[in-house]
Amino acid sequence: MDVTWTPRERDFRALAREWLTEHVPREPLPSGDTRDGFAAHLEWERTLFEHRWSVVSWPHAYGGRDASLWEWLIFEEEYYRIGAPQRVTQNGIFLLAPTLFEFGTRRQRDELLPRMASATDLWCQGWSEPGAGSDLAGIRARAERDEQAGGWLLNGQKTWTTRGAFCTHLFGLFRTDPAQERHRGLTYFLVPLDTPGVTVRGFDRLDGDEGFADVFFDNVFVPDEDRRGVPSVLGEVGKGWQVAMATTGSERGLTLRSPGRFLRTADRLVELARERQHEVSDGLVERITEGWMRAQAYQAFTLAQVTDIVEGRPPGARSSMNKVFWSELDIDLHETALDLLGPDGQLDGPWSRGFQFSLAGPIYAGTNEIQRNIIAERVLGLPRK
Ligand SMILES: Cc1cc2nc3c(=O)[nH]c(=O)nc-3n(C[C@H](O)[C@H](O)[C@H](O)COP(=O)(O)OP(=O)(O)OC[C@H]3O[C@@H](n4cnc5c(N)ncnc54)[C@H](O)[C@@H]3O)c2cc1C
């Protein structure tokens, strides 16, 4: 692995930094998990798109810059370094899009990706159900074939749908073959949320933001192909589990949580310690140093992983290692900051809010207990019992 940046990559960094310095809003936007905040973030997403910074690694024809994975990492580093707004389009561009590139038909890619890049279609993820969280294969939402009408009738409920109340489309798993059990007989559907029979009911998170939704499907008809000829099923009917595993690989691994985010948090922690030098005990210095080193280690690990991907060795189950590492690191960095802030850490602010959100890290994208099971069985090859 060569860890030096090429002149082209250095130029790319300079270009990204210059553009972000000029365009990132001076004042932080309100939380993207509220209705008003989401709208403000969409404006930002569209500015990114207009200047071809919303999906840098995608082909030019879809609104990207044909940037390499290395350049994408550089962009992410610069994005977080300057404190640019959270990406409210992340479920589409970071989770569904890589899956569309891998499993989508030409028509699906040509029609869906540009609309996703420009924040015209806003995608949410419909995996979890009241009875299917860690045990995702326990999905009960079903899709029944309507041969005469040429499509499927969806029924059931999805829950914990991040920003579902503000999105226009959902990608989700439904059981198409009730005779099959568990991972078999599931199909990956792409559903516009304005389809008759869909009810989206937003609900509040503990921090008060309406960031989640329940989505109910009551005899929702999805045609085999929509008016533009785009198939509603991604991948093969009955093979949705394999397609969904590609999406979760992106969620746990590289694309949802790139190292730039944690490098920036670690740097902010060091800045905080410098500002409050007189309050920093030796014990805190040790924790800050360790947190900073772990953020660097995550970057080194990611660079090795990108080398693997570029050389044709996809991470597969190893993306569970990223997930455990970044989620635990995020909590530790925030906890250290709160200890440093002392009583001030109790006040509403970026560190206390960041801490609250970091606590969700070991839960979303598959809990860390499940990731540890995956690492034990599929990476280390340990027996199931
Ligand atoms: C911030 C956030 C955003 C989310 N966004 C979405 C979204 O957009 N779309 C979506 O579909 N879902 C979303 N989720 C839901 C998330 O995927 C589930 O919460 C997660 O999969 C866990 O499922 P559960 O909550 O039903 O917990 P359960 O599965 O009931 O687990 C409860 C506890 O038991 C443990 N456990 C369960 N099974 C095992 C086992 N076999 N071995 C060891 N321990 C086990 C778990 O680790 C956990 O600690 C989100 C969750 C959060 C917190």
Side-chain angles (χ1 to χ4, degrees), residues 90-91 95 123-136 158-164 170-172 205 211-213 251-252 257 357 359-371 373 384:
Q90 64 179 26
N91 281 345
L95 305 187
W123 289 87
C124 61
Q125 184 185 41
W127 286 171
S128 306
E129 298 180 4
S134 299
D135 187 19
L136 189 59
K158 297 292 175 181
T159 191
W160 301 119
T161 318
T162 296
R163 300 191 197 96
L170 172 141
F171 57 91
R205 305 191 312 192
F212 284 126
E251 190 174 13
R252 291 165 189 165
R257 296 286 181 252
F357 188 70
L359 294 178
I363 304 173
Y364 65 84
T367 68
N368 281 12
E369 288 79 14
I370 297 297
Q371 303 319 305
N373 285 348
R384 279 180 76 86

